[in-house]
Amino acid sequence: MSISQESSPTGKKKRPTCSSCHFPSVTCLCPYLPPSPVSLKDTSIVMLQHPHEKKRFNSSVKLLSMCLNGPNLTILRGRRMDKIGGDEAACWLEKAREGRAVLVYPSKSAVGLEEGLREYRRRFELSDNGGQGDGCGPIPLLFLDGTWSHVKEMYNYHVNNGTFPINDGKMICVALDPVGDWTPSRFRTSRFTSVRCPSSISTKKVDFGGVGGVGMDSEDGRGSLLSTAEAVAWAAACNEGKNDTVYDGIARVLDGMVEVQQRCRRNSGGRSVSKKECKRKRDSDSGRCEARGSFG
């Protein structure tokens, strides 16, 4: 692990930072990263990310970008896909309007993950190959990244203006659900409950569905709730042939983040730190590892 020293424009030193994962050296996640980026053969991940998420120091999508092979992940940052500039965003906007992506979102009209993937293949294998069914290429899985309130607003906007043509059945929407008797080896329904997590993880959740013992069992009735990266890991692993290696490559980094934060709490005496106090400590160079400062 190599360390670089960051300085602010005023010359004030900040905490040492790992030049590889770009986290503070005391919370370096390099030991938990896969030996080589996880490569997806049959899946591409498209993330429509609310702009506020870029500011989240512990965004699970940031961890996701360190785990996946670069070409497998596209991040479009903005609340409105039709307001994002650039050729790449325009390309995905056109694909979305044509229904050439599977939206992962727990709407009332959503079908199960495996059912939705089968239907997508059926539609586009036939249309792309003159009825020969010779393969439709990697399936784009579209995720919305933000707090629940932000994600709901983003979903409603794109559905109502036709960008996500779900109401007419043109775009397939899936909710995560257990797939037969397969469950990834590292799957956990409450990965982040053992640490004090800021809002980017504790409220940025994806409904896992409502069946098979991992569904509607939470106090608020929304089911087992996952971070964005966990949802990506589950959906991608399923589409890659129920591949534990794909899921584990992402989940191990998330588990590492939890382990590091728990260690930091122990080093700080195990006490919880209020959001206001954490904010005051954000730029501290004292070397102490506080709950907020640990992933700043």
Side-chain angles (χ1 to χ4, degrees):
M1 180 181 72
S2 57
I3 302 296
S4 61
Q5 185 79 16
E6 292 186 356
S7 298
S8 67
T10 59
K12 180 182 178 181
K13 289 184 178 180
K14 293 186 178 181
R15 292 166 297 178
T17 303
C18 173
S19 60
S20 296
C21 69
H22 306 295
F23 278 90
S25 59
V26 292
T27 57
C28 174
L29 295 178
C30 289
Y32 304 97
L33 294 174
S36 58
V38 175
S39 184
L40 305 178
K41 178 183 177 183
D42 300 319
T43 314
S44 61
I45 304 299
V46 185
M47 190 72 59
L48 181 60
Q49 185 180 54
H50 193 282
H52 289 180
E53 294 303 307
K54 183 181 179 180
K55 304 173 184 177
R56 305 279 191 187
F57 58 87
N58 60 353
S59 167
S60 68
V61 173
K62 179 181 178 181
L63 302 182
L64 189 65
S65 66
M66 293 190 286
C67 300
L68 289 180
N69 195 21
N72 294 143
L73 176 64
T74 300
I75 299 177
L76 306 175
R77 190 165 287 119
R79 298 171 65 186
R80 312 278 191 264
M81 188 179 284
D82 53 354
K83 304 296 183 183
I84 303 173
D87 294 340
E88 187 173 48
C91 177
W92 283 112
L93 176 63
E94 181 179 357
K95 288 183 178 182
R97 286 172 172 167
E98 294 174 351
R100 286 183 169 269
V102 175
L103 177 65
V104 183
Y105 182 85
S107 70
K108 293 181 179 179
S109 60
V111 299
L113 176 61
E114 202 166 26
E115 178 185 348
L117 295 175
R118 280 198 304 267
E119 174 61 18
Y120 184 92
R121 290 190 181 94
R122 186 194 67 80
R123 290 184 188 182
F124 292 106
E125 281 180 351
L126 298 178
S127 63
D128 289 350
N129 298 281
Q132 300 303 310
D134 193 29
C136 59
I139 296 181
L141 298 180
L142 174 60
F143 293 81
L144 307 179
D145 183 47
T147 63
W148 257 120
S149 59
H150 287 155
V151 166
K152 287 179 180 178
E153 187 271 335
M154 292 161 68
Y155 171 82
N156 289 331
Y157 172 84
H158 290 93
V159 170
N160 292 337
N161 75 358
T163 302
F164 296 168
I166 292 172
N167 292 336
D168 61 6
K170 196 173 182 180
M171 173 179 271
I172 298 170
C173 182
V174 300
L176 300 184
D177 59 355
V179 180
D181 58 357
W182 173 74
T183 301
S185 58
R186 298 184 73 95
F187 176 71
R188 294 164 56 188
T189 58
S190 304
R191 176 166 270 111
F192 299 108
T193 58
S194 58
V195 296
R196 179 185 175 90
C197 291
S199 57
S200 59
I201 283 182
S202 61
T203 63
K204 185 175 61 183
K205 301 168 180 176
V206 177
D207 195 331
F208 190 68
V211 294
V214 287
M216 305 302 286
D217 56 2
S218 64
E219 292 182 0
D220 60 6
R222 284 199 297 248
S224 299
L225 300 171
L226 311 179
S227 69
T228 302
E230 287 175 295
V232 169
W234 181 280
C238 177
N239 194 48
E240 295 291 317
K242 303 176 184 176
N243 190 330
D244 274 347
T245 302
V246 170
Y247 187 93
D248 292 354
I250 298 172
R252 186 170 183 269
V253 182
L254 298 173
D255 287 337
M257 185 181 71
V258 173
E259 181 180 323
V260 167
Q261 190 158 352
Q262 287 176 328
R263 184 174 67 241
C264 291
R265 286 192 63 190
R266 289 194 297 268
N267 292 343
S268 64
R271 66 187 183 89
S272 297
V273 182
S274 68
K275 291 183 178 180
K276 182 178 292 187
E277 185 178 0
C278 286
K279 187 175 181 180
R280 289 200 302 267
K281 293 177 181 291
R282 179 169 56 184
D283 297 323
S284 171
D285 58 358
S286 64
R288 294 185 65 193
C289 189
E290 304 288 358
R292 170 62 175 88
S294 59
F295 287 94

